[in-house]
Amino acid sequence: MCRFRSLAAFLLLFVATPLRAETPSPLRLIPDQADFVVQIEQPRKLVEAFTTFELVNELQKLDSVRELYDSTNYRRFFQFVAYFEKELGKPWPELLDQLGGGGIAVAGKFGDNSPAVLVVQCKDEALLKKAFKRAVEIAEQELARVDDKAKLGRGDHEGVQIVHLADKLYAAVVGSALVVSNKDKGMQAAIERHVNGGKQSLAGMKAIPEARKLLPPDPLAWLWINMETVHQAPQAKELFKMPRNDAQLTVLAGGVLDVAGRSPFVCAGFHRDGNGFLATIRAPVGRDGMSAGLAYAVPPKDKSGTLPLLEPKGVVFSNSFYMDLSELWEQRGKLFNEQTAKAMSEFDKKSGAILAGNKLSQIFNQLGAHYRLVATHQMNYPYSVNLSSSLARAIPAFALVIEMRDTEEGRRNIETAARLAAFAATTQVKMKMTEANYGARTIVTYRFPEDQKLAGDTDGIRFRFSPSFVAVGNQFVVSSTLELARELVDLLENEAKTGSAAPSAVSNRSQLYAKGGTEILKGLDDFLLTQTILGQALPPDVARREVDKLVVLLGKLGVFKSEQVYGAKESHIDLRLQVGK
Amino acid sequence: MNATIDPRWAWLPYKPSPDAPWDLRKVGHLFRRATFGADYQDLQIALEVGPEKTIDRLLEGDAGGQQKLDAEMKPLADSIARGNNGAQARAWWLYRMLYSPQPLREKLTLFWHNHFATSNAKVNNAGFMLGQYALMRRHALGNFRELLQEMSQDPAMLVWLDTTQSKKGKPNENYARELMELFSLGRDHHYTEKDIREAARAFTGWEIKDGHAFFNAKEHDETDKTVIGKKGNFAGADIVNICLAQKNTPYFIAGKLFRFLISETVSVTPELLEPVAEQFRKDYDFGGLVQTMLRSNLFFSPEAYRTRIKPPVDFALGIVRALEGRIGTIALAQALEDLGQNVFFPPSVKGWDGGQTWLNGQTLLFRQNLALALTSTEDGRFGRRTDPAALVKKYGKTNDGEVVDFFLKLFLQGDVSTDTRSRLVQYMDESRRVSMPVFWAEEDVTNHRTRAVCHLILTLPEFQLD
């Protein structure tokens, strides 16, 4: 194990400054049969992106993190780095520049026991050779310490010496690069490309610059996956074909799977983005050429995408997505297999009996294509019962806001369905229905009696719920609490007045709010404190400070955003962390 | 073996003599059996003050320190109960075992836990389990009669042995059966299946209301029952008293304590137990019984010395205490589950079988791994919180011989052959010649050797014995 740790630490030294024009690409040593490659073009920038990230510094103030830094393994790592600094005569940032300045690439083929290769492109060949020699010496010493009879294996290919460090671990200095592979053949392939000047390597593949072009500039790291290989996998046929047997998968991820099924490659980039980070996944195909049946999930060019996110007080999570159920119903024959489509039609015929005379297909036709989900920390609790259970206290309020196509009829039918569902619930659990006026709106709400017990709910979880629904213009709100329903009425009325509901081209967007999340965490305070004391054997006052610091730190995480966009000729999913203050 | 043990001699208080001196071995033995192990200072102080005072101190504990710990841990227990967090509950108890200034009481609470073996796997209520813990701890050195009576109405026990399901006309026999077989008389001792059926009717009507035991008279069988020769309209408490009045009950309990405190290998005959069992019968003063056994000649005799296999809790906590570590118990609880002793989750109503069943190929390997994790300082769960190298520095042990002797005294009170000691010293000496990573400082190399030899000592067969 020590050997691997030392080697891993050694490899970390090969992280460096921006690529210079004269430095060759590490991709020249990777065969073009690779199914995937991850490249860090500017390794030092990646390291600095984290070391200068404010939250990392804040994290280091936690006792548990400081203890980790003081651990034996960390200390040895730093000693290891210090040793190389001394041996190679340069401080670690300079070593990073010199040893890994040309970039780092990891590539391989999918499948068990497939070859993988790591290439670290150096800028000072003499220094690389010296560092490699020292690293091999250390590996030899480690091996001798563990087993005095064991020795490192050595071989060569095309005149390049290969060191066999361990089972499935080969390393060599190949020209001005360090190459590590899990397979002898992987190492040989890299050496052969060095000898032939990079022929049949990833450096010559058109798809790579295409992928890089698709990504935002200056990624800290990027990934390319050859989807043509993925498409040929035995499981891929079932996954990507339409109509698909798995109806759930089609409804939830039909669009994404269609893109993945048509795209020659998928790429991803990891970027510094203002005071946070951006991770993006991109494909060079979009709406054009998409299966017609998938229009339910993908906003057409001439139609609106998602509505703006709703952000009531104490918001923890907000989501807005496009899903045209009317379209889905129409296209069911193209989306689902014959059996499922037939079952849906059969159910529709009988659905009037349980939907107060309305067929399911009618209701789908009355629904719009825009939905919004929201969850909030419960600022005001719907009952006077004082709950001791931290679990119950932590339960957020949540709501679904549904757009209606034909406002009045839609509202009436959906409200009828909601009342029916609520009625069915009251046959199982005692709840009282009230209709409360809120401004010009009438909110229908259900409450649990506070003076009665409910078997199976000793923690009083029910007292975090007062299921409610209300229509606001063409928006129908179904909320877990009356308080959230009221807030949403205000927000939706304001949205209607200010016209801030201008749609976007995004088909699905979500945000997670650290501030709201920390409010929920505060509800779990006693659990966190107990876990900290028992987990780390800290005195209660120290544990208290540790938990407080952690909650403050998490609050600083700001907002985590995700957006899914289907363009005409490209699709992407962006994941953004925007750190707060 | 028992033929040579004179019962009168066995239970007389041990007095140090030239033949049986108060030495480090006896001190270590006392701390292993009566607590979860000792650190170096504990051993030295006990050696100095003698057996009587040491046992007095163990019996009394540090009341002020305990009060402080109780105050610190009460909010944690409340939180665990509210969240019904079984994983935290077991860690909570291990934390108390490790850091309580009343370790004897904690150890005996563990004894009662194995006696009344109740598992949260069925109870599924951490609050009830902590309540049962509190009950057992309260009576750990108190009165068995009171403990047994209260245990019959303990919510965790009511759920565990289905008393809450036991209604008039549909009595459940589980509690009545285990009361006789496992909790008082012992298996096949003067009771019949009919006695169990009759007794079960006396325990009908118990329910749990708002987290407490509640007697519902409407569900209680008010008719006469005949139990072990007694007839009457008995309630549960009467059945407990009938069980306590049986001749074998004090022998059964004393025998169980004997195996816990004194020996798993000495055959526990009625003749041997008679003096203590008959004393115990008078008022079921369990604290008195514990005291008699701990102070006895037999306790400190060769017949008792290292005649138990160390249970996993004693194995792990003993290492931590000796190394003067302060580790979190969440990870420790998981490690102990792997070793076969998951507190609050005993395997059956009979508790842990103990003895040789603690050791098999797998658990022995797990013990070695846990010892490595606790001594290497490289394991993320425990880090440098238990560091043999820091300990030897604290006590000023520098050369190889001193380091080996220190650990042998600390963990084994020198109970290894001279050959083993020589080999350990030789190991340390040879390890000087093993090439270490060039980037290690000299101190790292020294510390590594110290930690490695400490780990070796903890894997010796002798260390598996209690």
Side-chain angles (χ1 to χ4, degrees):
Chain A
M1 283 305 288
C2 293
R3 260 187 301 161
F4 294 116
R5 266 205 302 274
S6 302
L7 186 70
F10 174 72
L11 292 174
L12 281 174
L13 284 172
F14 293 80
V15 180
T17 49
L19 185 67
R20 285 181 191 166
E22 67 270 22
T23 314
S25 164
L27 299 183
R28 77 190 189 287
L29 301 180
I30 299 172
D32 55 8
Q33 300 101 315
D35 292 338
F36 71 91
V37 62
V38 177
Q39 189 174 356
I40 302 164
E41 289 176 356
Q42 303 178 46
R44 182 149 175 204
K45 207 172 166 183
L46 178 68
V47 172
E48 286 175 349
F50 286 102
T51 55
T52 60
F53 191 43
E54 197 188 327
L55 276 183
V56 172
N57 294 325
E58 294 274 332
L59 201 64
Q60 288 169 359
K61 291 177 188 164
L62 291 176
D63 284 354
S64 48
V65 176
R66 281 210 301 269
E67 188 176 313
L68 185 70
Y69 276 117
D70 193 38
S71 67
T72 300
N73 293 337
Y74 266 80
R75 285 173 61 219
R76 287 192 184 148
F77 171 75
F78 292 126
Q79 285 172 325
F80 180 83
V81 173
Y83 170 79
F84 268 88
E85 286 181 330
K86 193 178 158 198
E87 286 293 305
L88 303 179
K90 293 177 197 291
W92 70 264
E94 272 186 51
L95 286 177
L96 298 180
D97 290 346
Q98 296 303 313
L99 293 173
I104 298 173
V106 181
K109 285 193 78 65
F110 293 127
D112 295 340
N113 214 22
S114 296
V117 65
L118 163 77
V119 180
V120 181
Q121 181 58 50
C122 136
K123 290 162 75 180
D124 183 336
E125 202 171 320
L127 190 72
L128 171 67
K129 283 179 177 160
K130 193 175 174 187
F132 185 71
K133 189 167 174 266
R134 287 279 177 276
V136 170
E137 282 168 6
I138 288 175
E140 273 175 332
Q141 286 163 358
E142 275 292 280
L143 197 60
R145 191 165 67 86
V146 177
D147 178 359
D148 57 4
K149 287 178 188 158
K151 285 196 171 142
L152 293 181
R154 287 171 202 272
D156 76 90
H157 186 70
E158 304 274 2
V160 176
Q161 193 185 56
I162 301 168
V163 180
H164 189 183
L165 290 161
D167 184 33
K168 295 183 182 173
L169 193 62
Y170 300 82
V173 172
V174 181
S176 56
L178 170 76
V179 178
V180 178
S181 178
N182 63 334
K183 297 271 178 190
D184 202 10
K185 281 186 179 172
M187 178 59 78
Q188 288 169 5
I191 293 170
E192 281 157 16
R193 270 141 196 88
H194 167 66
V195 172
N196 72 18
K199 284 175 194 159
Q200 287 132 8
S201 74
L202 284 184
M205 275 186 82
K206 279 183 187 171
I208 301 286
E210 276 176 31
R212 285 286 283 103
K213 222 168 130 186
L214 206 58
L215 294 169
D218 296 328
L220 296 169
W222 60 265
L223 159 78
W224 170 85
I225 296 173
N226 186 354
M227 290 302 290
E228 279 164 4
T229 320
V230 175
H231 296 154
Q232 285 157 19
Q235 308 91 317
K237 201 176 171 189
E238 179 64 24
L239 187 68
F240 297 128
K241 76 163 188 185
M242 287 288 275
R244 189 177 286 109
N245 289 329
D246 188 334
Q248 266 184 332
L249 198 63
T250 299
V251 173
L252 295 174
V256 171
L257 288 173
D258 182 88
V259 165
R262 288 184 293 125
S263 189
F265 65 83
V266 169
C267 55
F270 182 65
H271 304 255
R272 190 74 200 250
D273 182 42
N275 196 25
F277 292 96
L278 163 70
T280 182
I281 304 163
R282 306 201 165 194
V285 295
R287 284 192 313 265
D288 294 357
M290 189 175 263
S291 306
L294 290 165
Y296 80 93
V298 181
K301 197 179 173 185
D302 56 339
K303 285 193 180 173
S304 55
T306 57
L307 296 176
L309 295 172
L310 293 166
E311 295 181 319
K313 283 177 209 148
V315 62
V316 178
F317 173 73
S318 191
N319 171 239
S320 177
F321 63 97
Y322 179 93
M323 183 177 281
D324 190 338
L325 290 175
S326 165
E327 185 71 20
L328 181 137
W329 186 261
E330 287 302 314
Q331 302 291 341
R332 62 188 184 281
K334 291 178 184 166
L335 291 167
F336 310 115
N337 63 23
E338 197 181 336
Q339 196 183 356
T340 307
K342 196 178 166 192
M344 287 169 79
S345 301
E346 289 297 317
F347 178 76
D348 188 50
K349 283 178 195 163
K350 298 172 193 165
S351 60
I354 52 170
L355 292 171
N358 292 303
K359 281 187 181 176
L360 184 67
S361 53
Q362 271 179 295
I363 291 184
F364 278 2
N365 280 330
Q366 285 156 358
L367 293 174
H370 299 103
Y371 295 81
R372 286 180 280 184
L373 268 168
V374 66
T376 67
H377 163 61
Q378 296 205 39
M379 315 284 275
N380 300 303
Y381 297 126
Y383 296 84
S384 57
V385 175
N386 188 21
L387 294 181
S388 59
S389 162
S390 51
L391 172 68
R393 278 183 277 136
I395 291 173
F398 48 88
L400 173 66
V401 181
I402 307 162
E403 183 190 54
M404 296 170 291
R405 231 178 276 267
D406 177 334
T407 309
E408 191 45 43
E409 195 187 345
R411 185 197 64 74
R412 204 170 46 243
N413 288 336
I414 293 166
E415 188 171 326
T416 304
R419 282 177 188 266
L420 269 171
F423 175 75
T426 55
T427 61
Q428 304 297 316
V429 183
K430 195 164 185 183
M431 284 195 290
K432 190 183 170 193
M433 189 198 86
T434 54
E435 292 190 1
N437 288 329
Y438 185 69
R441 315 287 169 188
T442 301
I443 303 178
V444 180
T445 189
Y446 294 82
R447 285 176 64 84
F448 295 96
E450 290 190 50
D451 56 351
Q452 288 179 28
K453 294 197 171 175
L454 180 65
D457 183 30
T458 48
D459 287 334
I461 287 170
R462 66 190 178 283
F463 296 126
R464 285 295 171 263
F465 295 88
S466 50
S468 305
F469 54 84
V470 56
V472 184
N474 69 338
Q475 304 287 315
F476 191 80
V477 178
V478 183
S479 170
S480 73
T481 69
L482 175 61
E483 286 70 14
L484 181 56
R486 285 179 183 149
E487 274 235 46
L488 291 174
V489 167
D490 292 342
L491 286 174
L492 291 168
E493 284 185 341
N494 195 41
E495 190 178 82
K497 270 185 221 160
T498 58
S500 60
S504 73
V506 181
S507 68
N508 192 327
R509 70 173 72 202
S510 299
Q511 284 191 198
L512 264 170
Y513 302 79
K515 200 177 167 195
T518 55
E519 292 303 322
I520 287 182
L521 273 185
K522 283 178 191 170
L524 296 170
D525 182 70
D526 56 351
F527 166 80
L528 291 175
L529 190 64
T530 302
Q531 191 71 6
T532 306
I533 293 172
L534 297 178
Q536 298 174 42
L538 293 177
D541 54 335
V542 178
R544 172 78 275 155
R545 287 199 297 275
E546 190 78 346
V547 169
D548 290 345
K549 274 193 249 176
L550 182 70
V551 171
V552 168
L553 190 63
L554 290 175
K556 287 182 179 174
L557 275 175
V559 182
F560 179 76
K561 298 178 175 183
S562 80
E563 279 190 356
Q564 187 182 351
V565 177
Y566 295 101
K569 296 189 188 305
E570 68 88 32
S571 306
H572 65 262
I573 297 171
D574 284 352
L575 307 169
R576 259 190 184 84
L577 177 68
Q578 281 187 343
V579 177
K581 287 180 182 173
Chain B
M1 185 181 253
N2 287 29
T4 62
I5 300 175
D6 173 4
R8 282 177 307 166
W9 166 86
W11 305 116
L12 283 175
Y14 157 74
K15 299 281 180 205
S17 67
D19 289 340
W22 176 242
D23 56 14
L24 204 58
R25 297 175 77 235
K26 290 194 174 58
V27 175
H29 172 71
L30 174 62
F31 276 97
R32 280 196 305 277
R33 295 292 171 84
T35 75
F36 298 101
D39 63 24
Y40 191 71
Q41 277 183 322
D42 290 334
L43 294 173
Q44 297 306 315
I45 292 168
L47 192 61
E48 198 181 308
V49 302
E52 278 187 37
K53 269 195 180 169
T54 304
I55 294 171
D56 287 345
R57 286 176 182 179
L58 288 175
L59 288 164
E60 286 161 16
D62 168 8
Q66 186 62 44
Q67 213 171 1
K68 187 170 174 281
L69 183 74
D70 287 344
E72 286 175 0
M73 300 216 68
K74 171 78 169 54
L76 274 62
D78 293 343
S79 163
I80 291 165
R82 283 196 297 269
N84 189 21
N85 194 321
Q88 283 186 341
R90 62 184 190 171
W92 181 89
W93 189 7
L94 287 172
Y95 190 97
R96 293 180 67 95
M97 290 183 203
L98 260 179
Y99 307 119
S100 168
Q102 294 182 336
L104 172 60
R105 189 172 279 273
E106 290 300 332
K107 183 97 183 221
L108 292 168
T109 308
L110 184 60
F111 166 79
W112 286 124
H113 178 46
N114 197 36
H115 182 76
F116 292 113
T118 304
S119 173
N120 196 36
K122 178 175 175 183
V123 176
N124 194 23
N125 187 314
F128 288 176
M129 297 306 293
L130 293 179
Q132 190 183 77
Y133 159 84
L135 168 66
M136 294 185 297
R137 191 179 187 282
R138 195 163 60 244
H139 295 292
L141 280 161
N143 187 284
F144 176 62
R145 181 186 298 276
E146 289 172 22
L147 173 58
L148 194 57
Q149 286 289 6
E150 288 185 44
M151 188 57 77
S152 304
Q153 295 163 25
D154 171 68
M157 184 59 81
L158 291 178
V159 176
W160 173 238
L161 290 179
D162 306 306
T163 315
T164 51
Q165 311 297 318
S166 193
K167 310 287 179 197
K168 183 166 65 179
K170 275 181 78 180
N172 185 301
E173 295 169 12
N174 284 354
Y175 185 72
R177 179 181 304 281
E178 305 312 355
L179 171 68
M180 294 180 192
E181 181 179 322
L182 298 174
F183 302 161
S184 60
L185 281 83
R187 192 166 189 165
D188 302 331
H189 272 284
H190 310 296
Y191 64 87
T192 62
E193 279 296 312
K194 187 167 183 292
D195 290 323
I196 291 170
R197 286 197 297 275
E198 291 283 290
R201 293 199 288 118
F203 286 102
T204 51
W206 283 99
E207 297 170 359
I208 294 174
K209 206 170 179 182
D210 297 329
H212 299 283
F214 167 77
F215 183 66
N216 182 354
K218 285 182 194 164
E219 293 292 348
H220 178 65
D221 186 335
E222 289 282 359
T223 59
D224 277 359
K225 301 106 188 165
T226 304
V227 179
I228 319 180
K230 304 273 182 195
K231 189 177 179 186
N233 175 16
F234 297 134
D238 301 315
I239 303 299
V240 171
N241 283 331
I242 289 170
C243 290
L244 287 167
Q246 300 307 305
K247 180 170 170 49
N248 198 57
T249 299
Y251 284 83
F252 179 64
I253 301 299
K256 226 169 169 182
L257 184 67
F258 183 96
R259 284 188 293 278
F260 184 78
L261 283 182
I262 297 179
S263 176
E264 283 174 345
T265 54
V266 171
S267 172
V268 196
T269 61
E271 295 73 31
L272 180 61
L273 282 182
E274 189 178 353
V276 285
E278 289 306 324
Q279 178 201 352
F280 184 47
R281 179 193 305 286
K282 287 176 190 161
D283 51 6
Y284 281 109
D285 173 11
F286 188 73
L289 180 65
V290 169
Q291 200 170 150
T292 303
M293 285 194 180
L294 286 182
R295 293 188 194 279
S296 67
N297 278 325
L298 188 53
F299 180 83
F300 288 106
S301 71
E303 281 79 3
Y305 195 74
R306 293 206 189 276
T307 51
R308 294 182 80 241
I309 289 173
K310 225 174 244 181
V313 166
D314 296 56
F315 173 82
L317 270 56
I319 296 172
V320 178
R321 285 175 77 105
L323 291 176
E324 300 177 25
R326 192 165 176 88
I327 62 163
T329 48
I330 301 253
L332 188 65
Q334 184 56 53
L336 285 169
E337 183 180 350
D338 295 339
L339 293 185
Q341 196 172 20
N342 191 10
V343 297
F344 283 145
F345 293 85
S348 75
V349 71
K350 291 177 186 165
W352 291 276
D353 291 333
Q356 293 183 5
T357 64
W358 288 129
L359 297 182
N360 58 43
Q362 191 182 40
T363 58
L364 206 54
L365 181 65
F366 286 164
R367 281 186 184 218
Q368 294 196 6
N369 289 343
L370 180 60
L372 181 65
L374 288 169
T375 53
S376 70
T377 72
E378 291 173 19
D379 189 286
R381 295 169 295 171
F382 310 116
R384 294 172 70 195
R385 286 163 168 265
T386 44
D387 186 359
L391 196 72
V392 295
K393 252 176 234 147
K394 178 181 170 180
Y395 289 102
K397 310 298 173 193
T398 49
N399 68 51
D400 292 355
E402 282 179 349
V403 168
V404 168
D405 287 340
F406 174 77
F407 286 134
L408 287 177
K409 273 186 187 175
L410 181 64
F411 291 112
L412 290 163
Q413 291 76 53
D415 277 343
V416 291
S417 64
T418 48
D419 181 47
T420 301
R421 182 196 173 275
S422 302
R423 284 163 67 186
L424 289 165
V425 175
Q426 191 186 347
Y427 167 83
M428 284 202 82
D429 186 47
E430 283 173 0
S431 68
R432 281 177 197 283
R433 289 187 285 281
V434 172
S435 71
M436 296 290 175
V438 285
F439 53 91
W440 282 20
E442 199 172 319
E443 192 190 11
D444 294 313
V445 176
T446 308
N447 289 345
H448 179 74
R449 293 169 58 243
T450 303
R451 290 163 188 155
V453 81
C454 180
H455 174 233
L456 269 185
I457 288 170
L458 299 179
T459 59
L460 288 173
E462 291 87 341
F463 189 69
Q464 311 309 318
L465 296 176
D466 195 12

